[in-house]
Amino acid sequence: MKKSQLGRRTFIASSAGLVGAGAAATFASPAISQNRRKWRMVTTWPKNLPGLGTGAQHFADQVTRATGGRLTIELFASGEIVPAFESIDAVGAGNIEMGHGAPYYWKGKAPATQLVSNFPMGLTAQEYNAWYHFGGGRDLCDELYRSALGCKFLPCGNTGIQHPGWSRKEVNSLDDIKGLKMRMPGLGGEVMSRLGATVVNLPGSEVPGALASGAIDWAEWNNPYGEASMGFYRYAKYYYTPGWHEPGTVLELFVNAEKWDSLEDELKAIVENCAYATNQVMLAEFQARSGPVLDSFVNDHGTIVKELSDDIMREIGKVSGEAMQDLANSDPMAMKIFKSMIEFRGHQIRYTNVAEGSFIKARALEYPFPS
Amino acid sequence: MKKSQLGRRTFIASSAGLVGAGAAATFASPAISQNRRKWRMVTTWPKNLPGLGTGAQHFADQVTRATGGRLTIELFASGEIVPAFESIDAVGAGNIEMGHGAPYYWKGKAPATQLVSNFPMGLTAQEYNAWYHFGGGRDLCDELYRSALGCKFLPCGNTGIQHPGWSRKEVNSLDDIKGLKMRMPGLGGEVMSRLGATVVNLPGSEVPGALASGAIDWAEWNNPYGEASMGFYRYAKYYYTPGWHEPGTVLELFVNAEKWDSLEDELKAIVENCAYATNQVMLAEFQARSGPVLDSFVNDHGTIVKELSDDIMREIGKVSGEAMQDLANSDPMAMKIFKSMIEFRGHQIRYTNVAEGSFIKARALEYPFPS
């Protein structure tokens, strides 16, 4: 899709621009009073939503701070000036300078964005960063976002491994999946649908009620920290693992391409480094806070953590690969990105399994240790 | 140790400072011509050593770029102007502005730095970042580095899980460890020594020869990427896992505390964000490059990856805990940091095991997938 197709309407006459340059030229003012800009960042999150909204705010604050206000980022929550799912249009058209969201929200405009988010049985957060910085990911993401969305892309957050969901029923075999009423959006839902589940789309606000009433048997959300306030443990006893469907979902900064190109290299460097730092800080928050929340689910609320069997996971792996191949076949840019990611993935499976995997398993054995 | 004790000698009369400020004040010059500083960064690494030296250079270049040269960082490799292990003295005394190294190098000055590096059976890189940003780690590291070393601390790189080593002999039981001649420095070596191994200290350059001759049975280095050029696969068939001894070793930026305090908040923000971004970029490089190297060890050189048994790992876990408790008991600051880290660790074990651990294991099963 061409950039010109994206600007469906002009939301707001641009009020961003240069201020103070005239005054600064008349005397030897401090550096930071010259060439000040104010940029707006629209997000797809409610204001200060824990983890996602607060992470986007962290990014905005760090850029403002690191530029001494030469580039001030003002954050707008979803719906404040642009509806969440129109954010990319507003930024692509140049009416807003930047935005923060999740790549797969834009699948209707560019199917390949689903892969930029990561994919079922794909990469861990650590591997995704490795692919982005040292596996060709940066150039491919930039090519996609520039050509299809009129934007510069930067990774700016990661949820880490997401849990596949809360279930009212035990799932011990592939037969148990057939007819299971599951709330699981995106590519994960596509895989479960191919395995015979009845996949239901529900907005987040309706999910707890549907699980409580039995209208759905299974609800996917994100991770323990993100689920703490949803109360799913009240309605479903089983908390399933592994998070094969979203093994490290990337969150994005998207910047209008022309506005990005107009930035001095110094400001580009600040935005890039603040985005990469935020990428780490957001993942750190989900990691830090999910541990105690999961302990509380188990110890205080009687949640039973259950692992899907190897038989089920092998079939999920096979069907995930088929679904990804179909996605790649549907779109040339998706194919280009998919080829890069699966080649990279192929070289990471053994290493991550004997490095991260082997250590994590051994550490969880029973042995005395100070606490 | 007091900061005043650290400045054993003045290496270099300080040539860093403000230049150009007088000229800049006489006309409305561009912001970047005012208040320019040049800072030196000494490192404990050879020039452009893959991963470590190149990562430190990346940090220096990003700060120079993001400040438009207002803060230019000039990197010096180990020995160029300061011997590697005197870096912290030179920076603590203010003769050099900053340095890049590994915290455990300074254990002779402050035992707690060994914990700042991470510890046997400790935290993954992702968990360490979570502890640093959201578990109280930042304040504790700052307190230690300021009081004992006269420096501001920032995490600025991570090796990821390190492999415990290459062995000429199979190790199938705790008995096999008794008398095993192992090159494993640091706390990992301490644990193996308690288990009856004969731990030998050797500089890196002598390790391949000692393994080739059988003077040692086992050699620890770091990870596949770091070991690619060492040729250990020629002399030892077994590549052991898991990397319990260094499960995510942190690399550090240390900045003279007074010089750090003198920075405008804007420059502090740039240095912080560039350090956190470099933290991610360095780990990304080790991750990206280790995968293909490990595949090559196995496929091209006949290396056999072996996992230490659960029985051995339970004993290693127990003895690691005892060794860490002894370290904590020896020093009040080590105790303070240890308590914080092990409380945090206690809440991460279940979560990381069912999130990262469960996914990594399932992904490594046999099933058809595009490649």
Side-chain angles (χ1 to χ4, degrees):
Chain A
M1 182 176 285
K2 294 278 181 19
K3 197 176 65 177
S4 58
Q5 295 176 267
L6 291 170
R8 284 189 263 159
R9 49 189 158 118
T10 301
F11 298 96
I12 292 159
S14 176
S15 65
L18 299 176
V19 294
T26 60
F27 60 97
S29 56
I32 59 165
S33 74
Q34 298 178 358
N35 207 16
R36 296 176 80 88
R37 266 172 284 204
K38 193 167 185 175
W39 276 17
R40 286 161 300 176
M41 180 168 86
V42 289
T43 77
T44 57
W45 324 115
K47 191 84 174 174
N48 285 323
L49 179 70
L52 297 167
T54 53
Q57 187 67 59
H58 174 85
F59 166 78
D61 292 345
Q62 289 298 314
V63 171
T64 301
R65 183 180 161 227
T67 61
R70 283 174 298 146
L71 181 59
T72 296
I73 310 289
E74 188 178 9
L75 182 148
F76 294 91
S78 72
E80 278 197 284
I81 55 173
V82 177
F85 294 126
E86 294 179 16
S87 300
I88 199 88
D89 301 318
V91 174
N95 299 321
I96 302 287
E97 290 79 11
M98 55 169 59
H100 192 271
Y104 51 34
Y105 290 160
W106 324 124
K107 68 178 179 178
K109 299 176 192 304
T113 55
Q114 294 170 93
L115 294 164
V116 172
S117 281
N118 210 338
F119 59 92
M121 294 301 262
L123 307 174
T124 66
Q126 192 164 307
E127 292 169 346
Y128 185 96
N129 293 335
W131 173 71
Y132 178 81
H133 289 289
F134 295 95
R138 178 166 38 203
D139 288 348
L140 287 168
C141 292
D142 276 345
E143 184 184 340
L144 169 67
Y145 271 63
R146 280 189 180 260
S147 65
L149 303 167
C151 292
K152 159 75 181 168
F153 167 88
L154 283 166
C156 190
N158 197 302
T159 63
I161 306 258
Q162 296 200 11
H163 275 256
W166 295 83
S167 183
R168 294 166 60 98
K169 298 180 178 173
E170 280 197 69
V171 175
N172 296 316
S173 70
L174 288 163
D175 270 352
D176 291 340
I177 294 174
K178 292 189 176 35
L180 197 70
K181 290 170 287 180
M182 303 181 80
R183 191 271 177 185
M184 182 181 281
L187 294 168
E190 167 66 22
V191 172
M192 294 319 284
S193 175
R194 291 183 185 208
L195 288 172
T198 303
V199 176
V200 180
N201 278 322
L202 286 177
S205 57
E206 295 177 22
V207 179
L211 194 64
S213 72
I216 56 175
D217 305 309
W218 178 300
E220 186 269 358
W221 194 246
N222 50 21
N223 54 36
Y225 178 50
E227 292 163 356
S229 62
M230 303 289 279
F232 294 138
Y233 60 81
R234 291 196 193 97
Y235 320 120
K237 188 159 65 172
Y238 304 109
Y239 195 32
Y240 271 93
T241 187
W244 58 272
H245 65 309
E246 295 199 33
T249 299
V250 178
L251 308 164
E252 58 177 358
L253 179 75
F254 46 96
V255 186
N256 175 272
E258 284 172 32
K259 299 207 186 268
W260 174 260
D261 292 341
S262 76
L263 283 183
E264 307 89 292
D265 186 60
E266 178 180 340
L267 293 180
K268 282 186 184 138
I270 290 174
V271 173
E272 284 171 11
N273 280 284
C274 288
Y276 299 152
T278 300
N279 196 41
Q280 175 181 292
V281 168
M282 285 181 71
L283 178 58
E285 183 167 16
F286 282 118
Q287 176 79 39
R289 305 208 196 284
S290 283
V293 171
L294 178 61
D295 286 347
S296 165
F297 288 157
V298 172
N299 297 331
D300 304 334
H301 302 297
T303 294
I304 297 170
V305 175
K306 286 191 74 84
E307 193 168 68
L308 294 169
S309 72
D310 287 356
D311 279 350
I312 293 176
M313 286 312 305
R314 273 187 284 262
E315 190 65 15
I316 284 178
K318 172 174 156 283
V319 175
S320 294
E322 291 165 359
M324 292 308 94
Q325 189 67 60
D326 290 346
L327 168 60
N329 291 342
S330 75
D331 177 76
M333 196 64 210
M335 178 64 87
K336 197 169 172 180
I337 293 178
F338 186 57
K339 280 188 169 175
S340 170
M341 293 182 95
I342 59 171
E343 189 196 337
F344 190 84
R345 173 186 182 276
H347 282 301
Q348 297 298 318
I349 291 177
R350 177 190 276 122
Y351 174 63
T352 296
N353 197 34
V354 304
E356 232 75 14
S358 179
F359 170 71
I360 290 167
K361 177 169 68 88
R363 191 182 57 170
L365 295 167
E366 293 277 334
Y367 52 91
F369 202 88
S371 61
Chain B
M1 182 176 287
K2 295 279 180 20
K3 195 175 68 178
S4 57
Q5 295 176 266
L6 290 169
R8 283 189 263 157
R9 50 191 158 119
T10 302
F11 297 97
I12 292 159
S14 176
S15 64
L18 300 175
V19 294
T26 61
F27 60 97
S29 56
I32 59 166
S33 75
Q34 297 178 357
N35 207 13
R36 296 177 80 87
R37 265 170 285 203
K38 192 167 185 175
W39 275 18
R40 288 161 300 176
M41 179 168 85
V42 290
T43 76
T44 57
W45 325 114
K47 191 85 173 172
N48 285 323
L49 179 70
L52 297 167
T54 54
Q57 186 67 59
H58 173 86
F59 165 78
D61 292 346
Q62 289 299 314
V63 171
T64 301
R65 185 180 159 229
T67 61
R70 282 173 299 146
L71 182 59
T72 296
I73 310 290
E74 187 177 10
L75 182 148
F76 295 92
S78 71
E80 279 197 283
I81 56 172
V82 176
F85 295 125
E86 294 180 16
S87 299
I88 199 88
D89 300 318
V91 174
N95 299 319
I96 302 286
E97 290 79 10
M98 54 169 58
H100 192 271
Y104 52 34
Y105 290 161
W106 325 123
K107 67 178 180 179
K109 298 178 194 304
T113 55
Q114 295 170 92
L115 295 166
V116 173
S117 282
N118 210 336
F119 59 92
M121 296 300 261
L123 306 174
T124 66
Q126 192 163 306
E127 292 169 347
Y128 186 95
N129 293 334
W131 173 71
Y132 179 80
H133 288 289
F134 295 94
R138 178 167 37 204
D139 287 347
L140 286 168
C141 292
D142 275 345
E143 183 183 342
L144 169 66
Y145 271 62
R146 280 188 180 261
S147 64
L149 304 165
C151 292
K152 159 74 181 169
F153 167 90
L154 284 165
C156 190
N158 197 303
T159 64
I161 304 260
Q162 296 200 11
H163 274 256
W166 295 82
S167 182
R168 294 164 60 98
K169 298 180 178 172
E170 282 196 68
V171 175
N172 296 317
S173 69
L174 288 162
D175 271 352
D176 291 341
I177 293 173
K178 294 192 176 27
L180 197 70
K181 290 170 288 180
M182 303 180 80
R183 191 271 178 186
M184 182 182 280
L187 294 168
E190 167 67 18
V191 171
M192 294 319 284
S193 176
R194 292 184 184 207
L195 287 172
T198 303
V199 176
V200 181
N201 278 320
L202 285 176
S205 58
E206 294 177 23
V207 178
L211 194 65
S213 72
I216 55 175
D217 305 308
W218 178 300
E220 185 269 357
W221 194 245
N222 49 21
N223 54 36
Y225 177 50
E227 290 163 356
S229 63
M230 303 289 278
F232 294 138
Y233 60 82
R234 294 197 192 94
Y235 320 120
K237 189 158 65 172
Y238 304 109
Y239 196 31
Y240 271 94
T241 189
W244 56 273
H245 64 310
E246 296 198 33
T249 299
V250 178
L251 308 164
E252 58 178 357
L253 178 75
F254 46 96
V255 186
N256 175 273
E258 285 172 29
K259 300 210 187 264
W260 174 260
D261 292 340
S262 76
L263 285 182
E264 307 90 293
D265 186 59
E266 177 181 340
L267 293 180
K268 282 186 184 138
I270 290 174
V271 172
E272 285 172 10
N273 280 284
C274 288
Y276 299 151
T278 300
N279 196 41
Q280 175 180 291
V281 168
M282 286 182 70
L283 178 60
E285 182 166 18
F286 282 118
Q287 175 79 38
R289 305 208 197 283
S290 284
V293 171
L294 177 61
D295 285 347
S296 165
F297 288 156
V298 172
N299 298 331
D300 304 334
H301 302 298
T303 294
I304 297 169
V305 175
K306 285 191 77 81
E307 193 169 67
L308 294 168
S309 71
D310 287 356
D311 279 350
I312 293 176
M313 286 313 305
R314 274 187 283 262
E315 190 65 15
I316 284 177
K318 173 174 156 281
V319 175
S320 294
E322 291 165 358
M324 291 310 93
Q325 189 67 59
D326 289 347
L327 169 59
N329 291 342
S330 75
D331 177 76
M333 196 65 209
M335 179 63 87
K336 197 168 172 180
I337 293 178
F338 186 59
K339 281 189 170 176
S340 170
M341 292 182 96
I342 58 172
E343 189 196 338
F344 190 84
R345 173 186 182 276
H347 281 302
Q348 297 298 318
I349 290 177
R350 177 191 277 124
Y351 173 64
T352 295
N353 196 36
V354 304
E356 233 74 15
S358 179
F359 170 72
I360 290 167
K361 177 169 70 88
R363 191 183 56 169
L365 295 168
E366 293 277 331
Y367 52 90
F369 203 88
S371 62

